[in-house]
Amino acid sequence: MAVIFLFSCCFFPIFFLTLRWALQRPRALGMDQLQAVYVAAKLVSSVQAVMASTAGYIVFSSCKHVIDDQHWLAGAYTQFAVPYFVYDIYAMFLCHWHKYRVKGHEGVGPRSLRTVARAYLRKEFLMVLHHLCMVLVCFPISVLWRQGKGDFFLGCMLMAELSTPFVCLGKVLILYKRQHTLLHKVNGLLMLVTFFCCRILLFPYMYWAYGRHAGLPLLRVPLAIPPSYNLGAGLLLAPQLYWFGLICRGAFRLFRRTHATGAPLHNGHGPGGQALD
């Protein structure tokens, strides 16, 4: 297991640096520094998400008994994923830093670096807190406290990453100002559906699965398990609900904007005489 952890510590940074170098090569895509860093970071996140959701599905489908059945991938992938969360905090900061420089703040000295760090933490506080909780709380619980029980539920939690590639693609399309394209709309719909199913409905499903195992109706499960389990589930669900609300708000704005410009007038002008892109 230690070998897996050490391999992961090297894998994600090297993969990111290799992608960044390849994307900036003039003979390849020739991206500028911000684009290369941003796209490379999102590609690494998407690859990790595909691996995590695949591992989660394998564990989930292999464990027929929700408490006692075990699968080696549950423990192995948990240790593989922990360095990713540490790396991703740095990758998000790097993207934020390059955006700061693009806006005209070229001289990034000690003071401006602190300014960028504060702005980054203000903007991404919930995401950074989520990643730190994964490393400092969920990882010790998964490895030490579970004692090999509940691999089924760990597999379910890993499958929550299924929505991440769509989130990453949406951010890349926004970077390239492709919000008006059909690809962005289709990706937004897939992101909405996968996020709702894999990050929101996931929690009622796990309660239902335990209820079926214990012979309890769904509504009685929260009263039949220790309060700490309900507290943990609530703390994990809360940021997902917040992010889902942001996704719904963005989807509503996109729909409203599309509806407002959906009936172009003559000479390529929309309502109010505004030129259409």
Side-chain angles (χ1 to χ4, degrees):
M1 291 299 181
V3 174
I4 296 174
F5 182 82
L6 292 174
F7 171 76
S8 180
C9 287
C10 300
F11 173 76
F12 289 111
I14 292 175
F15 187 32
F16 168 73
L17 292 173
T18 303
L19 284 174
R20 177 183 171 182
W21 171 79
L23 292 171
Q24 282 188 274
R25 285 178 62 84
R27 293 185 180 180
L29 297 179
M31 297 182 180
D32 61 36
Q33 199 168 29
L34 170 61
Q35 292 171 338
V37 168
Y38 200 84
V39 173
K42 299 309 173 188
L43 281 173
V44 173
S45 295
S46 298
V47 169
Q48 191 281 142
V50 171
M51 291 191 297
S53 54
T54 302
Y57 177 77
I58 293 172
V59 174
F60 157 81
S61 59
S62 300
C63 296
K64 304 306 179 185
H65 193 284
V66 300
I67 302 298
D68 294 329
D69 281 0
Q70 296 182 352
H71 195 285
W72 67 271
L73 262 177
Y77 197 85
T78 300
Q79 296 204 28
F80 179 77
V82 166
Y84 162 77
F85 289 106
V86 179
Y87 144 81
D88 197 46
I89 292 174
Y90 170 72
M92 289 190 299
F93 172 74
L94 201 60
C95 293
H96 191 84
W97 182 42
H98 282 287
K99 284 183 179 179
Y100 182 84
R101 296 187 66 183
V102 166
K103 289 180 180 178
H105 307 280
E106 291 294 339
V108 182
R111 288 186 179 179
S112 56
L113 187 58
R114 286 195 295 268
T115 302
V116 175
R118 284 196 297 267
Y120 163 67
L121 290 175
R122 281 197 300 270
K123 182 179 180 182
E124 302 290 352
F125 174 77
L126 189 57
M127 185 65 74
V128 172
L129 181 63
H130 169 269
H131 282 24
L132 290 177
C133 286
M134 290 294 106
V135 175
L136 301 176
V137 179
C138 294
F139 174 65
I141 289 176
S142 175
V143 173
L144 303 175
W145 182 77
R146 287 192 314 120
Q147 298 181 347
K149 303 289 187 180
D151 281 7
F152 171 87
F153 297 107
L154 183 58
C156 290
M157 296 300 296
L158 288 173
M159 288 174 63
E161 290 292 322
L162 187 62
S163 63
T164 300
F166 303 108
V167 174
C168 292
L169 178 57
K171 290 184 177 180
V172 170
L173 291 173
I174 291 173
L175 176 69
Y176 283 92
K177 304 186 186 303
R178 294 293 184 268
Q179 297 96 316
H180 61 284
T181 61
L182 178 62
L183 176 60
H184 186 264
K185 295 180 177 66
V186 172
N187 180 75
L189 178 62
L190 292 173
M191 177 176 64
L192 194 68
V193 172
T194 54
F195 198 100
F196 180 70
C197 293
C198 298
R199 291 180 180 260
I200 306 298
L201 287 184
L202 172 71
F203 290 90
Y205 172 77
M206 290 193 294
Y207 274 75
W208 173 84
Y210 179 81
R212 186 181 61 172
H213 161 76
L216 296 170
L218 175 61
L219 295 180
R220 288 186 57 191
V221 172
L223 301 176
I225 61 177
S228 58
Y229 291 14
N230 293 317
L231 176 62
L235 291 175
L236 289 173
L237 178 59
Q240 312 304 330
L241 291 172
Y242 172 75
W243 288 322
F244 184 69
L246 294 181
I247 292 173
C248 290
R249 187 171 66 179
F252 175 74
R253 287 177 177 175
L254 179 64
F255 173 79
R256 187 172 59 181
R257 191 184 311 122
T258 303
H259 181 72
T261 59
L265 302 179
H266 296 293
N267 300 323
H269 286 71
Q274 186 175 11
L276 300 176
D277 292 336

